[in-house]
Every structure is written in C-alpha cells, then in structure tokens.
Amino acid sequence: MKLNKEKHIGRVLFIVEGSKTEFSILRRIFCNLLGYSYVEKKRNTANYFINTQDRFSRVAVINTRESNIRDISENTEYLDDVFNMLREKYKFPVDQSAIYYLFDRDPKSNTCPALIEEYILSLKDPYDNDDGYMAGQLLLSYPSVESYTVSNFRDGTNALRFQLGRDAKAYIGENTDIQINRISDITMMKAASEFLKYLESERIAFDIDDFSEASRAIFTKQEAEYLSGAGFRAFSMLTLAFLQMGIIELE
C-alpha cells in the first residue's frame, strides 16, 4: 500500500453522527496531514470552520440534526438547509460531490438493525445509487468511530471486543498513547492494514468500488458477535473512503 498525499480528490462531503470525535479525526487527516480545503458545520454551533488550501481537493463535514442514523432519511429539512448553505455561501456543489455517511453501530444510539441493513443495501455508492435513492456510501464503525482511532495504534485491533461505544472510549482513556493528534501518514497506513486484516480474517471477499455486499457480510457477522455476548470486533469502515478516493492505494 501507499499513501498519495498529492492526490486531488475533487469535492467530498462527510455526513457524520457525532459532533466531536468524527470532526477531530477528519480535520486531523484532511487539514493537518493532507492539506486539503475544508469546511465543517456542527449541529450545536452556528458557525462554520473554514480552511482554504487546495482548490482541487475540498472536503466538507456536517452533522445530521440528531445523533441517530434515522436522520439519514428522516428530518431531512435540516440537511437540506445545510446543503443550501454549502452551495450558496461556500460554493460547495453538493450534487457533484462524493458523499459519505459516517455512523456508529453502537446499539445504544442506533437501535434498529433492520433499518441499518436497509441503509447498507441502499447507500452503496458515494456518487449515485439505484432506484432514485440518495447518493452516498454508508461507512459503519463497530461499535463506534473510536475503533478507527484505535486501529491507528494497535496491532490486531479486530481482536479487541467492545459492547458499546463508551467501552471503546474507555479503552482509549486507559491507553494514553492512542490520540487523534498523533494520527500520521504512518498510522493511517497501519489503520488500512488493520482494515484489510479484518476482512481477511472473516474471509469476506470485497471490491473497493462496489463494497455493499462486503458491508452486509460485515454487518451480519458483527451482529452475530454482539448477540452472542462477545461484543463487536473493533472495526471501522472509514478506511474504505480513503481507498475509494485513491488517497490510499493497494499495490
């Protein structure tokens, strides 16, 4: 694998669940490490954070109205308002952007497995989806996006088991070397390696550009792990976005 720091990615929009950790991770990667132009809007703030660097690579990060995966298809008025602001004030063409939905499988916050599986099968392309469904690729983290942070610093991340997102947060709190501000080129490659190791360990075949069946297989296996009482295996699909954008290349 290799990291393409000079890769021009066009416009990419991340719609995220949480109002802190996801923003910290994405700002660290796209601003500090890659030097892309970047705009973010959190649900609990009126202001937008703007960083203008690379006009050929522009990333926007916004929240759904509530911290719940249902808001992908419900309460869409809030998203429409933010989309319009991005278009009008920041000249960010949402309709011509790759879109990623970064959400947690944490069963405390996202309680309906059937709805999640529906999103997995419908939100499978960052640019266009079948049957008139909205554009976007769903990126799930098990049990939460903290698994991505852990995978930057730990070998065999998927051997770790967490019942809930708060358990993953507690693990990070107990291991002070795991810090978002220490994510680097090297740790991103490590996280990508952990992503591939998980797929290999579960014997899940995949196509980077058509990942929905692999995503469904991951979901099915992770649900079985959780229902057995073992807890989710720590895993995040965020790396998939970097692979699809060509920021990380498989050799």
Side-chain angles (χ1 to χ4, degrees):
M1 286 186 294
K2 66 177 182 178
L3 184 69
N4 293 322
K5 295 190 72 172
E6 306 303 318
K7 177 71 175 179
H8 295 313
I9 61 170
R11 280 91 49 176
V12 180
L13 172 64
F14 281 87
I15 300 170
V16 305
E17 176 176 7
S19 59
K20 184 177 179 181
T21 303
E22 291 92 335
F23 286 91
S24 297
I25 291 171
L26 295 175
R27 190 190 291 191
R28 172 68 181 172
I29 290 170
F30 289 117
C31 285
N32 299 104
L33 298 183
L34 299 175
Y36 292 164
S37 293
Y38 178 93
V39 55
E40 70 177 37
K41 169 66 171 70
K42 299 180 181 180
R43 72 171 66 89
N44 53 2
T45 63
N47 298 324
Y48 284 68
F49 171 82
I50 305 292
N51 186 61
T52 304
Q53 296 186 67
D54 180 356
R55 65 189 180 93
F56 298 108
S57 301
R58 302 179 64 201
V59 177
V61 185
I62 64 173
N63 278 133
T64 44
R65 191 182 74 174
E66 304 290 341
S67 180
N68 192 303
I69 200 166
R70 287 184 180 275
D71 270 24
I72 289 176
S73 57
E74 299 177 10
N75 298 319
T76 55
E77 296 86 355
Y78 173 86
L79 282 179
D80 288 340
D81 288 343
V82 178
F83 289 170
N84 287 332
M85 180 65 76
L86 288 172
R87 292 185 190 102
E88 294 167 10
K89 187 171 182 180
Y90 299 104
K91 310 304 178 188
F92 192 98
V94 174
D95 300 332
Q96 301 170 36
S97 303
I99 299 176
Y100 291 97
Y101 292 86
L102 181 59
F103 278 77
D104 297 342
R105 175 56 196 102
D106 191 328
K108 282 292 185 181
S109 59
N110 294 317
T111 58
C112 182
L115 179 62
I116 295 171
E117 188 166 12
E118 177 184 328
Y119 286 144
I120 288 171
L121 296 177
S122 301
L123 296 170
K124 55 188 180 181
D125 189 299
Y127 289 100
D128 189 27
N129 284 307
D130 300 331
D131 303 323
Y133 211 87
M134 67 189 81
Q137 170 83 60
L138 178 62
L139 306 173
L140 281 176
S141 297
Y142 299 86
S144 63
V145 74
E146 281 77 14
S147 290
Y148 178 77
T149 307
V150 173
S151 70
N152 276 258
F153 300 95
R154 288 292 180 271
D155 291 327
T157 299
N158 65 76
L160 297 172
R161 307 273 185 159
F162 301 119
Q163 293 283 342
L164 302 171
R166 69 188 181 203
D167 302 320
K169 289 183 175 74
Y171 179 85
I172 291 174
E174 294 163 1
N175 293 269
T176 56
D177 62 308
I178 303 175
Q179 296 182 21
I180 291 172
N181 63 7
R182 290 183 177 176
I183 291 176
S184 66
D185 305 8
I186 294 171
T187 71
M188 281 185 67
M189 298 300 287
K190 174 167 180 40
S193 177
E194 293 298 316
F195 174 89
L196 297 173
K197 284 179 184 176
Y198 170 83
L199 295 172
E200 181 180 357
S201 70
E202 292 285 21
R203 296 182 175 84
I204 296 174
F206 65 94
D207 178 341
I208 291 299
D209 297 315
D210 186 7
F211 201 80
S212 62
E213 286 303 320
S215 183
R216 187 183 195 180
I218 293 165
F219 179 75
T220 300
K221 289 175 179 291
Q222 290 277 21
E223 288 295 288
E225 296 275 4
Y226 175 73
L227 292 173
S228 75
F232 295 108
R233 295 178 68 182
F235 178 74
S236 173
M237 285 177 58
L238 178 55
T239 288
L240 176 64
F242 305 139
L243 290 166
Q244 289 184 340
M245 286 185 273
I247 293 170
I248 296 175
E249 277 189 17
L250 298 178
E251 294 181 301

